[in-house]
Structure formats: C-alpha cells, structure tokens
Amino acid sequence: MELNKLTEMELHYHVERLQGRYVECIDDDRLEQWPDFFTENCVYKIISRENHDRDLPAAAIFCDSKGMLEDRIVSLRNANVYAEHNYRHVLSNILIKDLKDGVISVQSNYLVMQTKTDGATEIYNAGKYVDKIVADGDVLKFQEKVAIFDTHLIKSLLVTPI
C-alpha cells in the first residue's frame, strides 16, 4: 500500500478500519491475534496522562517489540490470576495528524467499559491513543501505540491490553 497515493478519505478509511479491527480483537477476546496488529519492532505503552504530560517514563505497561506483546498474552493466559471480565471499547474522533516518510500519526479517543461475571458494567479506562501507523505490504500496522489514560484510579489489575 502506497500511503502517499491514497486520498485523504481513503487513508482515513484504512486507519479507521485498523482501529476498529484492533478493538474488536480485544473485545472479542482473540488476544492471541493482538500482536499481529503491530510491526516486529514496535512500542506499546499504557501510561497515565500525568506521566505523559511531564515526560516521565513510568508506564503501567511497556513493550518494545512484537515478541514482548506475544509474551504478555502467554503470561495473561497461563500465569496471571485475575477476575474474569469482558471489555467493550468505544472509539471517537479518529484524527490523522500527519503523514510523513511513510508514517501516519493518528490520535483518537477511547473509552473502555468492563463487565465482570456478576454482569455489572462500569467505565474501566478512558483516554486517548497516540499512534504511529505504517504500511506493511497491503495492510496497516501499528509501529507505536500509546494509550494515555485520564483515569486516575484503575479499580482492578490491568492485564488485558487497552
């Protein structure tokens, strides 16, 4: 896919489709497929708005390769103990900020609701994604995905990707 040959509408369509498929994968608990949304050399980070704004490095989750993402899912499935839950993402305001040297800079808002086995649903996490997206053949992939959360209190263990 040659990004610079796409119209603005075509580019937005492909970016929005990537974002939608990404959250669908998480919401449908197909987490073994989640790393496939990333390039081999990637960054995935979940960080508080406070730390991000102050340029502090401490993140709730930090992975700097696709291998680390795969290890995270293996650990989640086999080693972690956590309350069973489901996520439901709501995305909005997907904005392409820039396209330079084959890298699409994108910002979008997210809201994650969590439903536990008792059936109660609550807002789990809210914030914005700041992404760097590149073409990998005919598909778009995340080179960098940073979830900057506004939520000051995360009520349960953060184990599932945002």
Side-chain angles (χ1 to χ4, degrees):
M1 180 181 306
E2 293 186 50
L3 299 177
N4 59 347
K5 291 188 177 183
L6 297 176
T7 67
E8 185 177 336
M9 283 182 68
E10 290 170 328
L11 187 61
H12 194 275
Y13 167 79
H14 288 289
V15 167
E16 192 166 329
R17 182 171 159 80
L18 173 66
Q19 296 284 25
R21 288 179 30 248
Y22 172 86
V23 298
E24 177 190 47
C25 177
I26 296 169
D27 291 349
D28 289 350
D29 195 33
R30 297 190 325 267
L31 298 179
E32 287 73 15
Q33 297 170 14
W34 173 70
D36 295 334
F37 287 92
F38 294 85
T39 59
E40 289 297 323
N41 297 313
C42 63
V43 170
Y44 175 73
K45 181 170 30 173
I46 301 175
I47 189 168
S48 70
R49 183 177 187 169
E50 180 181 16
N51 283 4
H52 181 267
D53 289 351
R54 293 181 179 180
D55 205 24
L56 298 172
I61 293 178
F62 179 82
C63 300
D64 65 1
S65 71
K66 186 175 178 179
M68 286 183 76
L69 301 178
E70 292 165 349
D71 287 347
R72 177 154 193 82
I73 299 308
V74 169
S75 174
L76 185 149
R77 295 292 196 209
N78 299 308
N80 293 352
V81 177
Y82 56 92
E84 194 172 323
H85 64 276
N86 296 306
Y87 278 174
R88 186 65 55 209
H89 285 73
V90 178
L91 296 177
S92 70
N93 205 31
I94 298 173
L95 294 174
I96 296 174
K97 305 290 263 184
D98 193 27
L99 170 57
K100 185 176 181 183
D101 299 326
V103 179
I104 310 165
S105 299
V106 178
Q107 178 178 305
S108 54
N109 299 324
Y110 71 84
L111 173 69
V112 180
M113 293 170 281
Q114 184 182 71
T115 304
K116 294 192 178 167
T117 55
D118 66 0
T121 300
E122 61 182 33
I123 293 174
Y124 177 70
N125 198 284
K128 68 180 177 180
Y129 291 132
V130 177
D131 301 324
K132 302 288 185 200
I133 299 171
V134 296
D136 184 8
D138 288 338
V139 298
L140 295 182
K141 291 192 176 188
F142 295 106
Q143 184 177 60
E144 181 174 302
K145 184 165 219 25
V146 180
I148 303 167
F149 60 88
D150 298 325
T151 311
H152 289 286
L153 175 64
I154 299 175
K155 291 185 179 182
S156 63
L157 186 62
L158 178 58
V159 293
T160 306
I162 293 291

